[in-house]
Amino acid sequence: MSVRTSPSAGYVEDVSPGTGALPPRAWYAASDARSLSLNGRWRLRLSATADAEDDAFAAPGFDAGDWAEVTVPGHWVLQGDGEFGAPIYTNHLYPFPVDPPHVPTENPTGDHLRVFDLPGDWPADGEVLLRFDGVESCARVWLNGTELGEFKGSRLPHEFAVGALLRPAGNVLAVRVHQWSAGSYLEDQDQWWLPGVFRDVTLLHRPPGAPGDFFVHASYDHTTGEGTLRVDCDVAGRVSVPALGVDLATGETVTVPVEPWSAETPTLYDGVLATPGERVPLRIGFRTVALEDGLIKVNGRPVLFRGVNRHEWHPRTGRALDLATMREDVLLMKRHNVDAVRTSHYPPHPAFLDLCDEYGLWVIDECDLETHGFTEQGWRDNPVDDDRWTPALLDRAARMVERDKNHPSVVFWSLGNEAGTGRGLTAMAGWIRGRDASRLIHYEGDAECRDTDVYSRMYASPEDVERIGRRLDGGPLRRRELPFIQCEYAHAMGNGPGGLAGYQRIFERYERLQGGFVWEWIDHGVAHPELGYAYGGDFGEELHDGNFVCDGLLFPDRRPSPGLDEYKKVIEPVRIDGDGADGTVRVTNAYGVRDLGHLEFTLSYEVDGVPVGGTHPLAVPPLAPGGSAEVKPPVPAPDGGGAEVRWTVRALLAEDTPWARRGHEVAWAQRTVTRPAPIAPVTGAGPVPDGDRIVLGPGVFDARTGVLRSLCGVDVSGPRLDVWRAPTDNDEGASWQDGTRYGGLWRELGLHRMRHRIDAVDVDGGTLTVRTRVAPAARDVGLRTAYRWTSDGTRLRLTVQVVPEGRWTVPLPRLGVRWGLPAATTPGVRWYGSGGEAYPDTRAAARLARWEAPVEELHTPYVRPQENGARCDVRWAELGGLRVEGDPEFFLTARRWTTEQLDAARHRTDLVPGDTVWVHLDHAQHGIGSQSCGPGPQPPYVLHAEPAEFSFVFSAAG
C-alpha cells in the first residue's frame, strides 16, 4: 500500500520569524518610482489542514477556474456568507491547546492565487520588490513557481526581491496562508481571530540608485526655537526642504528656525529625498521627546495624554481598512478632543500614522506581541522568557521600528501587551534603544520598570492613581522616579464608561500623572443579517468571550456612543467655570502648547431651557497654556420671572481647520443664574369614592388596590415603585480590585422579581395614601413604600416615601416609579433636562435645554441590549398628552419594551416594540462605573438602600 504524502509544513510550527524576506526598512506611500497594486479579486481554495494540498497550485498554468473568489485585502472568514468558515473571538484564551510551538492539525489554510500582467511601460532596469503589509498568521509565497519564502508577524510588512522572476504577462503569485502557526502564540490580542491577506499587496520598482532605507532625524530645541535635521540614507543623495531654504547632502546636519510639531500644532514641512534613482516626498515634523525631571516632555513641555486605545476594525471587512475609514477615525478623534492613540496591540496600517502626523495625534506605537493566554498556566513556557523565541521577538520589534521611524507622531515604542516578563522583552528594549534613542519605551507588564521609561498600569482605581500621583505607591526606586500613565482605563463596554471626570481631575492635579488611554475606540461587532451585530459565540465558537469584544466609544458603524460624548466633555482643553449668581465666567487654558487665539467664545442665556436674547461674543484673551481669566458677560442676565435662568458659554473654532470647520464646538459650560420658583402646592381637591373607583382631580384610581388607572383621560398602567434595571456590561463585570459583581448580587437577592403587597388604601381628608411593601421572593428584606396622592383639581401630585426594612447588603440598581402609556398616543417626548444619555457618573456632558424626540430615539442601541437612555436633571416632561414635573429633578427613561424584555435580549434585533411605552421616573440611579474591566462606581455614585422621599406632579400637557 502506498501513502500519499504532502510537502512538509514544518515551517508553520517553527519559532523563527521565517525565511526569504528582506530586512525591514522605512515605509512610504509614494515616490516617483513605479508601483503596482495587486489588491483586488483573488482565487481561493480553502483546506482544513496545513498540508492537505501540495504546492502544485503555485506553478504557472495551474487551472484554478473552479476556485472561489475573495477580495484582497480581506479575511476569508468574513467573505462568502459562511462558506469559508467563521470568525472566532477570545479575549485572552488561546482557541487551541497551549503546547508551544505546536498548533492543531485542524488548521484552516487558504491557498490564494493572483495572475497579473506588468504595465506595458514597466521599467526593465533595477530591482522589484513584492511587499505584503499584513497577513494572518503565517504565509508561504511563490512567484511563477519559485518559492520566495515564508513569514510570520501578522501586522508587519514583509518584502521579497522578485525582479528576476517577473514576466511581462501572466505572472502567477501564489500565497498559502495558515490560520494557526507558532506566530499565533505571539498574537493573543483580545480580538477576533481572522485569517487572510488583510493589508495591501504591492509590487515596487526599485530603480538603480534608489534608496533602500532612510531615517529622518528632526529634533527641536525649545530654548532656541531651532530644529536640527539630518537624513541618513543607504544611498548618497540630497535633501531639500524649500520652506526652510534647506538643501544638503544625506548624512549632513543643518539647524534652522522652525515651528515645532505637536499633536496640538502638527506643523509638517514638505521635503524631498533625491537619490540618483528616486525622489521620495518627505513630511518632516520637528520635535524632541525626552524624559526630564521625572516627566514625559515633548519640546520641553510636559504632555497630558487624552487618549484612546485603537484596534483596527470595520464591521464588514474586519481589520482590512481603507484610507477613508482610517481618516474618519482620526477626524472623529480630533473632533472629540482626543489627542493620543495607543495602537493596541500591534502597529496599525502605516497610512494611519501618516494621518496622525498630518492632523496631530500623539502615538504609542505597539509591537505585534501578546502572549496573554499563558497567564492561565502561571506564565509557564511563556515565549518572551524563552531564548528560542527571541529572534522572532527582535524581528517584530525591528519591523515596527524600521517601518514607522520617520513619523513625528510616534513618541513611544511599546514592546507589546500582556506578555508577562522575560529576557526576550529586555532584548527588544535594548535593540530599540540602540536603533532609536529619540523616543521613549513603554510596556505595561514591566512592573519593576527595568526596561521601560514610564510607569504604566491598566484599570487602576482612582484611589490607586491618586496614591501614585502623590508618590505613595511604593515599588522600586526607578519606578517611583518615573512618570505614570494609564495605558488602559475606563473600559468603554456597553453603557459607560462611568467615572471619567473623576479620573481626569486626578490626572490634572498631580504632575506625575500624564493622562491615559480609554479602552477602547470602537465596538468590534460583526455585521450580521439576523442579529444586527454579532459578537463572541454567535458563530458557534466552542470557546469565546461573548460581547467583551464590543467595548468601544464608537458603535460598530462608527456612530459615537454617549461614552464618546462624555469623554469629549471631560477632556476638553478649555475649562469654563464661574459663579452664575454674579455672572462671572472663568476661562482656563488646558492646552499643553497653544494659546486660545484660535478660539472664539460666545455666551447665551436660557429661561426654562429656551434661548433668549440671542448669542453674544465673550471677550476672552488669548491665554497661554495654564493661564486663566475672569470675564464679565457682555449683557446682563434676563429676568426669569420665577423661571430658571442659566447661561451657556461655548468655545468654538474661529477658523476652518483640516479636521473641523469654523464654529466647531471645542468646549462648553452651563451655570445657573436664577433658580426656579418652587412648584405651587397641589392641594384643595379631595378624593371622591365612586363605586370601585376613587376619583382625585384628574386621576381615577382602583378603590381596592389604590392603583392609578387613568390620568387626564389617558389610560395608564401604574405608576409603582421600581428598583430593577437590565444590568449593564459594567454591572455584570467583576472588578479585580474587590471582586464585586453588582448584577450578580442583584439577581441573587432577587431584585429582578420584586413583589408588591398592598397593605392599605386610605382616604384621609385631601389625601389618598396607598401603603405597600415591595420585596423580593425568598428574602426578608423589603422596601416599605407609601404613595401619597393630592390634587388641586387639575394637577395630581404623587409623593413617594421609601423606607428599607431588613439588612440590605447590596446597593439598589435604581429608585423610582415605572408606569405605562399607550404607544399609539405616545409617539414622542418633550422634556426640559439633559439632551443625551446620562447617569450619576456619566453626566459631565449633560447639556440642559428643551428637547423633543421620538420614543425610539431615546433608546441607545448598545450591541448587547442593557439599561440605557436615561436623561438626567429633568425638570418636566410631556408625553402621551400628559405632563410630569419633578420635585426634585429626576431621571427620565421611555422605551417601547419592558425592563424585563430588555434584560432578556441578547441582540438589538431581539427587541420588538410593544403596544405600551414604559416610562421610568427615577429619583436616583446606581452609578455606571467601569467594572466590565476595572473599578465599579465610586462611593458617591453607589445607590444605597436608605430612606428617601420624592415627588412628581402630573397634569395635562399644555
Side-chain angles (χ1 to χ4, degrees), residues 472-680:
L472 300 176
D473 52 301
L477 176 62
R478 170 169 169 76
R479 192 179 82 185
R480 298 198 308 270
E481 292 177 340
L482 292 178
F484 174 81
I485 64 170
Q486 283 247 69
C487 68
E488 294 180 22
Y489 81 111
H491 197 253
M493 186 177 178
N495 187 338
L500 285 168
Y503 274 114
Q504 192 67 22
R505 284 193 296 268
I506 299 171
F507 290 157
E508 294 177 2
R509 188 178 304 145
Y510 300 100
E511 186 180 50
R512 184 190 185 192
L513 308 180
Q514 297 201 247
F517 297 77
V518 168
W519 185 270
E520 67 162 307
W521 178 238
I522 187 169
D523 287 343
H524 299 196
V526 176
H528 193 284
E530 285 85 38
L531 304 177
Y533 292 104
Y535 49 76
D538 288 334
F539 296 99
E541 308 102 298
E542 294 178 344
L543 184 69
H544 65 85
D545 285 292
N547 69 310
F548 202 69
V549 76
C550 295
D551 49 9
L553 295 168
L554 298 181
F555 295 121
D557 61 3
R558 282 183 160 73
R559 283 185 298 155
S561 75
L564 183 56
D565 295 333
E566 177 81 354
Y567 194 41
K568 176 186 178 181
K569 175 61 180 163
V570 165
I571 62 175
E572 58 190 11
V574 181
R575 298 292 185 228
I576 304 169
D577 204 341
D579 184 348
D582 68 7
T584 302
V585 179
R586 183 165 53 258
V587 177
T588 302
N589 182 354
Y591 282 103
V593 174
R594 68 187 318 182
D595 64 28
L596 299 187
H598 67 294
L599 301 176
E600 55 189 11
F601 291 78
T602 66
L603 179 142
S604 61
Y605 291 103
E606 300 90 32
V607 175
D608 270 356
V610 178
V612 296
T615 300
H616 311 279
L618 191 66
V620 176
L623 299 167
S628 294
E630 293 193 351
V631 184
K632 287 289 186 180
V635 296
D639 181 359
E644 182 176 27
V645 179
R646 297 169 63 86
W647 57 247
T648 298
V649 171
R650 305 171 70 211
L652 312 172
L653 289 178
E655 303 291 343
D656 290 349
T657 71
W659 49 270
R661 302 297 297 272
R662 177 183 180 182
H664 168 79
E665 184 178 83
V666 173
W668 63 274
Q670 293 180 313
R671 291 295 180 271
T672 298
V673 178
T674 304
R675 297 192 178 279
I679 296 175

Side-chain angles (χ1 to χ4, degrees), residues 244-312:
L244 299 177
V246 167
D247 187 345
L248 75 164
T250 54
E252 293 183 353
T253 298
V254 64
T255 299
V256 292
V258 299
E259 292 296 322
W261 187 97
S262 73
E264 295 172 9
T265 56
T267 301
L268 293 174
Y269 291 93
D270 289 327
V272 174
L273 167 61
T275 68
E278 187 178 19
R279 291 174 61 85
V280 180
L282 305 177
R283 304 206 75 190
I284 302 168
F286 291 87
R287 57 104 186 93
T288 295
V289 184
L291 184 63
E292 295 178 353
D293 306 318
L295 298 174
I296 305 160
K297 293 185 179 181
V298 181
N299 303 330
R301 301 187 67 92
V303 175
L304 182 66
F305 294 114
R306 301 171 170 93
V308 295
N309 286 272
R310 176 186 176 268
H311 267 299
E312 294 184 306

Side-chain angles (χ1 to χ4, degrees), residues 23 52 60 149 156 327 359 451 465 504 531 562 611 684 765 901 957:
L156 295 162
R327 189 182 303 275
Y359 291 101
D451 299 322
V465 173
Q504 192 67 22
L531 304 177
Q901 290 167 327

